[in-house]
Amino acid sequence: METPARSRESCPERILDKTGEAFSVGAVGGAAFFFLDGVHNSPKGHRLTGGIHAISMNAPRVGGRLAVWGGLFSAFNCAMVYASQKEDPWNSIIAGATAGGFHEIRKGLRPASRAALYGGIFFALMEGTLFMFEKAVDKAIDNEKKSRRVVEDYVTIKAGGEGGISFELPIRAPQFE
C-alpha cells in the first residue's frame, strides 16, 4: 500500500533521523515529567531547584532509552521493507514487535516476549487507525469531487480582485415543466 504519506527517505538516513527524533521526544517529554515530579517531591523553598535537578538526572536517560527503541524500530522496519520489497502496514507491526522484544531482551525471555506482544499490538492499533483515517479522508475527497461536478454548472464571478466579493451564478436557465 504505497501512498505519498508512506514514501520515505533511504534507510540509513531514516534510521538516524528516527533515532534523533526519538531522543528529542524522550528528552523533552522526560524533562516535562521529571520537572513536575521534582517540584512535587521537593521541600518548600527548593521546588524550582529540585525540578531542575530532577530534569538533569532523568531526562537524558529517558531520551536515550527512547532513542535506542526508535533506532531498533527503524532498523527492523527497513529490514522488513527490504525483505518484502514493499511498504505496507505489516512491516511496522512486525518491526514494533521485534524492537520491543529486542529492547527488553536483557531482562529475560518473559519480559522480552511481553514487550514484543505489546509492541505488536500497539502498532497494529496504530496502523489500523491510520488505515481507517486514510479511508475516511479518501471518502471525503470523493464526496467533494462529486459535489463539485454539480457545482461546475455554475460560474463564479469575482469583484475587487484578491479578497474581494465573489458569488456564483447558474449557467443554465431553469427548466420548467
Side-chain angles (χ1 to χ4, degrees), residues 35 37-53:
F35 176 76
D37 187 52
V39 166
H40 176 72
N41 292 325
S42 296
K44 288 185 180 179
H46 300 284
R47 295 196 188 272
L48 183 62
T49 56
I52 292 171
H53 180 70

Side-chain angles (χ1 to χ4, degrees), residues 61-156:
R61 179 176 42 85
V62 172
R65 283 185 57 108
L66 206 58
V68 168
W69 189 91
L72 284 171
F73 172 78
S74 296
F76 288 127
N77 195 12
C78 287
M80 290 301 300
V81 169
Y82 181 77
S84 66
Q85 294 297 314
K86 62 182 177 179
E87 186 81 39
D88 64 356
W90 288 107
N91 295 339
S92 295
I93 294 169
I94 294 170
T98 311
F102 267 78
H103 192 255
E104 297 296 318
I105 195 71
R106 61 192 162 83
K107 294 179 182 176
L109 187 59
R110 187 179 207 120
S113 300
R114 190 177 307 122
L117 179 67
Y118 291 155
I121 290 171
F122 175 74
F123 275 94
L125 291 173
M126 294 257 311
E127 290 293 334
T129 303
L130 181 62
F131 176 75
M132 296 300 284
F133 179 73
E134 287 175 353
K135 193 173 182 180
V137 168
D138 288 344
K139 186 175 182 179
I141 289 172
D142 289 344
N143 289 340
E144 179 69 23
K145 287 179 181 177
K146 287 178 184 175
S147 67
R148 286 186 186 228
R149 288 186 196 122
V150 174
V151 175
E152 286 175 0
D153 291 341
Y154 292 81
V155 64
T156 303

